[in-house]
Amino acid sequence: MVAWSERLIAGEIARQTLARKCVVLVDNCNWTGHECDVLAVTTDLRVIDVEVKISRADLKADAGKDKWWHRQWGRYNPTTQGYDKPPDILREWPPRVWKHYYALPKDIWKPDLLDCLPSRASGVLLLCDQGEGRPLLVRCERRATPNKSASRLTPAQAMDIARLANLRMWEAYRDAERHKNDVAYWREQSKAAACAGPRSMDNHTETALTA
């Protein structure tokens, strides 16, 4: 039984689905102006946005995110002394994005969830637990429709995202080293406590009785 998490799903999508087609992959990235769980830059410098979901409720709630809506500003109406705000416009793709995908466990997927997605252009990737220690399988339930109006990144923009990915890598190394040091420290503390515990208890008890 797989303990699904956003990090696990994002990692499998990056390694299995995007690695051969993309030159840069960044997790939890806001470069487009909105959060991307995985932002990928393809070999022809286009942006793929992957949204990771681990529950049906989270998937259904995605339609309310600002990335899907072009918010309209209202104009002041002197007659009503208020603001007339036109309705917000639903986007087919988030800003700057060439293709958009949802990635989620196959166990929570139902075909009628397609009607809950904010855009018919979004693709759906399902992760399947094959059991018996076998690797997870990524299956494309629906292919994403490309945004033909999405422009390619400029070299400067591509370098900006690559720089961010590089910094994330070093941050990950730093966090892993800190975790390793913390584990080693508390292992030594545990050993020291196990060795000194009984004597410390006897000394404490003796002090309490003779005080």
Side-chain angles (χ1 to χ4, degrees):
M1 186 70 178
V2 176
W4 296 107
S5 68
E6 290 188 3
R7 178 172 294 182
L8 173 64
I9 294 175
E12 292 299 324
I13 294 299
R15 287 186 291 269
Q16 292 191 41
T17 308
L18 300 175
R20 295 182 181 180
K21 304 174 183 178
C22 300
V23 293
V24 179
L25 300 166
V26 189
D27 65 323
N28 298 325
C29 180
N30 292 300
W31 185 87
T32 63
H34 302 277
E35 185 179 8
C36 303
D37 291 331
V38 179
L39 183 146
V41 178
T42 64
T43 53
D44 60 350
L45 301 184
R46 297 184 188 275
V47 171
I48 297 177
D49 174 7
V50 180
E51 187 82 23
V52 177
K53 302 297 180 184
I54 58 176
S55 71
R56 295 190 186 104
D58 193 19
L59 179 65
K60 293 177 180 179
D62 198 69
K65 287 185 175 180
D66 285 342
K67 68 193 298 181
W68 291 112
W69 295 93
H70 176 66
R71 305 298 186 185
Q72 304 266 44
W73 294 97
R75 293 184 177 181
Y76 181 73
N77 187 330
T79 302
T80 62
Q81 296 186 349
Y83 286 87
D84 295 335
K85 184 179 181 301
D88 296 331
I89 300 174
L90 180 64
R91 295 186 172 112
E92 280 194 273
W93 298 273
R96 295 183 167 186
V97 171
W98 177 58
K99 284 185 178 180
H100 179 271
Y101 281 96
Y102 288 101
L104 62 155
K106 181 178 179 296
D107 296 340
I108 68 172
W109 175 255
K110 291 182 178 181
D112 57 6
L113 288 173
L114 287 172
D115 296 332
C116 302
L117 303 185
S119 173
R120 294 181 180 273
S122 294
V124 177
L125 301 172
L126 302 180
L127 281 86
C128 310
D129 178 9
Q130 301 187 89
E132 300 179 356
R134 299 169 65 189
L136 298 175
L137 176 67
V138 179
R139 178 170 65 83
C140 183
E141 177 72 12
R142 184 172 77 176
R143 297 181 66 86
T145 302
N147 178 6
K148 295 181 179 180
S149 64
S151 58
R152 288 183 171 87
L153 299 179
T154 65
Q157 290 173 328
M159 287 296 294
D160 188 35
I161 297 174
R163 187 180 299 110
L164 176 60
N166 184 53
L167 291 174
R168 289 287 178 83
M169 179 189 71
W170 290 110
E171 288 174 357
Y173 284 155
R174 179 199 62 194
D175 293 343
E177 188 67 21
R178 285 179 177 175
H179 177 71
K180 177 182 176 181
N181 293 338
D182 286 345
V183 169
Y185 171 80
W186 288 112
R187 184 178 289 119
E188 291 301 319
Q189 291 295 311
S190 179
K191 289 180 181 179
C195 294
R199 174 177 292 182
S200 298
M201 181 64 71
D202 291 343
N203 293 339
H204 176 74
T205 303
E206 182 179 355
T207 300
L209 291 175
T210 57

